[in-house]
Amino acid sequence: MTVYIDADSCPSPVRNHVLKICNSKNIPVVFAANREFIPEENQAFEMIVCGSEKDAADNFIFEKAKGAHLNIVFCADDKYGYSSSSNYLSASDAVKQGSDLVITRDLLLAKRLTEKNVACINDRGREFTKKKIDAILKEREEDLMFVSMGLVKHSKGSSYNKKEFAAFANSFDKIISELN
């Protein structure tokens, strides 16, 4: 397994935590970004500086990240009839089945990756599955519609805080610990 980080918007506490944990377990880490940076921690990693064109880092990660090797099982889904069990594949389960792990805030990249059965979480510890990402994207589309209609004010969001980092660290550590 390799951990890929969409590093342009990834907070430094996340980058440093991933390096610390992965280096202690000899798990390769690859940062992909449009610019080079040096993490605070002196740890081993690979830095890929992608072109400046739109989505260059996303495309690199998508091309390189390996998905889980699944035996597809169809299961009952209360709302939609029958669907593939891969719709529910958690990041932990995907990693156990041979997937790389990607950390990204980019919902469209997460969607592309989950379609490939790549384990994917954001920097707040939220795991993405095929089913979850569709619901998240639909919610985002509705929110943008309300903003464009002037019904809701668009907020820039809050800055990354300790609570969000703790949620990420718990999720990431759980995924990594389940490898052993």
Side-chain angles (χ1 to χ4, degrees):
M1 177 188 79
T2 298
V3 175
Y4 289 91
I5 299 178
D6 185 1
D8 282 322
S9 65
C10 187
S12 61
V14 169
R15 295 191 304 246
N16 292 329
H17 183 77
V18 169
L19 285 173
K20 179 181 171 188
I21 299 301
C22 288
N23 276 223
S24 72
K25 298 188 176 289
N26 294 316
I27 297 171
V29 177
V30 177
F31 293 116
N34 294 336
R35 60 183 166 71
E36 189 168 5
F37 63 88
I38 300 171
E40 296 168 14
E41 303 289 327
N42 187 17
Q43 304 280 349
F45 67 94
E46 184 177 358
M47 178 75 225
I48 303 297
V49 178
C50 302
S52 60
E53 62 272 2
K54 183 175 174 22
D55 297 330
D58 295 355
N59 292 334
F60 171 83
I61 291 169
F62 180 77
E63 290 170 16
K64 297 296 182 181
K66 295 184 324 238
H69 306 289
L70 300 177
N71 294 321
I72 299 298
V73 176
F74 288 89
C75 57
D77 180 337
D78 295 342
K79 192 171 181 181
Y80 302 107
Y82 289 93
S83 66
S84 164
S85 62
S86 66
N87 287 339
Y88 304 95
L89 189 65
S90 71
S92 294
D93 290 338
V95 167
K96 286 183 214 171
Q97 294 181 44
S99 173
D100 289 328
L101 176 62
V102 174
I103 300 165
T104 184
R105 287 184 178 185
D106 186 319
L107 295 176
L108 296 177
L109 174 59
K111 178 165 177 60
R112 291 171 63 198
L113 291 165
T114 58
E115 292 296 323
K116 229 174 100 161
N117 295 319
V118 175
C120 193
I121 63 174
N122 71 9
D123 58 13
R124 288 158 170 78
R126 185 176 198 178
E127 290 189 33
F128 298 116
T129 64
K130 289 178 187 177
K131 186 169 180 158
K132 282 182 188 177
I133 196 70
D134 287 339
I136 293 165
L137 287 168
K138 183 177 180 180
E139 182 180 317
R140 183 178 81 166
E141 185 178 313
E142 290 169 353
D143 289 346
L144 291 173
M145 181 182 67
F146 291 135
V147 168
S148 71
M149 294 169 60
L151 299 173
V152 177
K153 288 187 177 180
H154 181 66
S155 66
K156 287 196 168 209
S158 60
S159 62
Y160 195 72
N161 62 45
K162 290 180 182 179
K163 183 178 176 184
E164 292 167 325
F165 173 71
F168 166 78
N170 287 335
S171 178
F172 180 78
D173 294 354
K174 179 182 176 234
I175 293 166
I176 298 301
S177 70
E178 290 179 1
L179 289 174
N180 297 331

